[in-house]
Amino acid sequence: RFSIEPSVDISFVHLDKYHGYLDRANRFSMIVESFGTMKLAYKALEHTVPDVFFDTTGCAFTFFVARVLAGCTVAAYVHYPTISTDMLKLVWE
């Protein structure tokens, strides 16, 4: 579509069967949901460890898993982070 030919093989790891890791929590929601993203990243990295872990979800807790546990270089585009000052204001109100 964009006439771009990658110079390396690109593979995607489908994690559909782990969607329960991202279920909403009733209590301590930001902590529980962030931990869920870390578990999901770990499952992805069990399948394959990439040279570059590229995240576009804004779930910054996955960076720790990719960098520290798997040794990947981490790249990210974060348009709206998981935890922001706006989100914290809503939680504390």
Side-chain angles (χ1 to χ4, degrees), residues 50-55 60 62-68 71-76:
D51 295 324
V52 178
F53 180 86
F54 192 79
D55 178 79
T62 62
F63 304 169
F64 172 80
V65 175
R67 180 69 183 149
V68 176
C72 301
T73 298
V74 174

Side-chain angles (χ1 to χ4, degrees), residues 17-93:
K17 63 183 175 182
Y18 303 109
H19 64 84
Y21 287 5
L22 302 178
D23 287 345
R24 293 202 174 274
N26 294 328
R27 303 186 80 196
F28 306 106
S29 60
M30 290 193 303
I31 295 168
V32 172
E33 291 167 18
S34 295
F35 185 69
T37 64
M38 293 173 72
K39 290 192 319 185
L40 192 61
Y42 186 80
K43 282 293 179 187
L45 293 166
E46 280 184 334
H47 289 278
T48 185
V49 177
D51 295 324
V52 178
F53 180 86
F54 192 79
D55 178 79
T56 60
T57 65
C59 299
F61 293 95
T62 62
F63 304 169
F64 172 80
V65 175
R67 180 69 183 149
V68 176
L69 300 181
C72 301
T73 298
V74 174
Y77 168 76
V78 180
H79 179 72
Y80 191 76
T82 306
I83 298 177
S84 65
T85 54
D86 295 346
M87 175 69 76
L88 291 174
K89 285 178 188 175
L90 288 173
V91 169
W92 294 116
E93 290 179 354

